[in-house]
Amino acid sequence: MLASDTLQFSTAVSRMCALQPASFVDVETFLTPEEIENDPVRKRLRAMGIGAHACTAIPMPSGELAIFVFQRRLGEGDYDQKSLDVLDSLRPAMARAGLIAGRLGLERAEGTVAAMTAMGLPAAVLSLKGRVMVANALFDGLSSLFLPTAFGGMAIADAEANRLFQQAVVAARNELEPTVRSIPVQGVDGRPPMILHMLPLRRSAHEIFSGADILVAATALSASSLVPSPTLLAGLFDLTPAEARLATALSQGHALKAAAVSSNITEKTARTYLERIFAKTGTRQQSQLVALLKSAGPFG
């Protein structure tokens, strides 16, 4: 349930997030019978035998909200005031634990991103909503590449790259096992072309980065006459093996028909692959694609 987007459609969750109760409260008292009956999360929990909820909220220094919820089995009744008083006596310990855990997690994320600074990689970690949680100085220094948006979000100045970036953020929310996505960004004002690598953070990595969901790292590309290998292109741009072979043939200077022959596919299939390659690399013309692919040799 936590991995899905069900919670954002819960009336009870949204009500508690808006109320942010500073002490434990019985959630049922803030909902109408109809809201309780129709809440999608409550429906699932009732099917699991879970009934009444007691909730409190504790704001974190990072701007996040820690919500503690206790639940009773169906048939055990609602939370009375005596029960809420017992939970309130424990609330200061919960607050301290939450604050310390949040602080430690944030420091671990900052330390990991700082390590990327030593490697020369601009990097940041994002939530699934695209909010920047931590960024290193190299990332902050790319002001011509990244643009801040409302609510701590991020956009890319290049319109086509930003389209692919926002699509990747949405895909990361909807995929159970998101894959690494690489997004090409054209060079401007003396800044070389770059590749943004978006890596999903799952399991232990999710904890190391303080609950962040996406790691964004940028690598600069230096111009080169070398032809990149299919393996490199597949890794950089999420191309399938067949698409990578065609892209390599094109970057060697072959026309599409000749590239199709060398890849053992029909010209019609090659055109289909080329459209997919355009979409994945953010290019629209074969000349743009070849120029980009030839820059994807050694990293600067």
Side-chain angles (χ1 to χ4, degrees), residues 126-191:
L126 314 180
S127 70
L128 276 182
K129 293 186 177 180
R131 186 172 69 86
V132 179
M133 299 180 66
V134 180
N136 63 16
L138 295 175
F139 189 93
D140 290 334
L142 294 173
S143 57
S144 64
L145 177 60
F146 302 109
L147 302 175
T149 62
F151 307 109
M154 185 187 91
I156 302 174
D158 181 272
E160 183 60 23
N162 187 57
R163 181 183 68 82
L164 296 173
F165 172 76
Q166 301 302 337
Q167 284 181 354
V169 172
V170 172
R173 286 200 293 267
N174 298 331
E175 295 176 10
L176 292 178
E177 291 293 335
T179 56
V180 176
R181 293 172 181 265
S182 298
I183 299 172
V185 183
Q186 296 182 8
V188 293
D189 299 329
R191 176 180 54 73

Side-chain angles (χ1 to χ4, degrees), residues 35-76:
E35 288 175 331
I36 296 173
E37 180 67 24
N38 296 323
D39 190 303
V41 171
R42 287 307 178 87
K43 288 181 179 180
R44 293 183 63 179
L45 293 177
R46 281 197 297 271
M48 297 164 61
I50 296 174
H53 288 57
C55 171
T56 191
I58 302 173
M60 297 285 116
S62 59
E64 296 166 315
L65 188 67
I67 295 180
F68 292 84
V69 179
F70 286 80
Q71 301 164 326
R72 285 183 169 174
R73 295 179 184 275
L74 285 171
E76 291 182 349

Side-chain angles (χ1 to χ4, degrees), residues 121 164 179-185 193-199 217-222 226-240 243-244 247-248 277 279-282 289 291-300:
L121 289 177
L164 296 173
T179 56
V180 176
R181 293 172 181 265
S182 298
I183 299 172
V185 183
M194 306 193 80
I195 301 292
L196 296 185
H197 304 280
M198 300 179 65
L199 295 84
T219 54
L221 297 176
S222 59
L226 299 176
V227 175
S229 69
T231 302
L232 176 61
L233 293 182
L236 285 177
F237 302 107
D238 301 320
L239 303 181
T240 66
E243 291 167 353
T248 299
I277 295 170
K280 292 179 180 181
T281 59
L289 174 65
L292 177 65
L293 297 181
K294 280 187 171 290
S295 73
F299 287 146

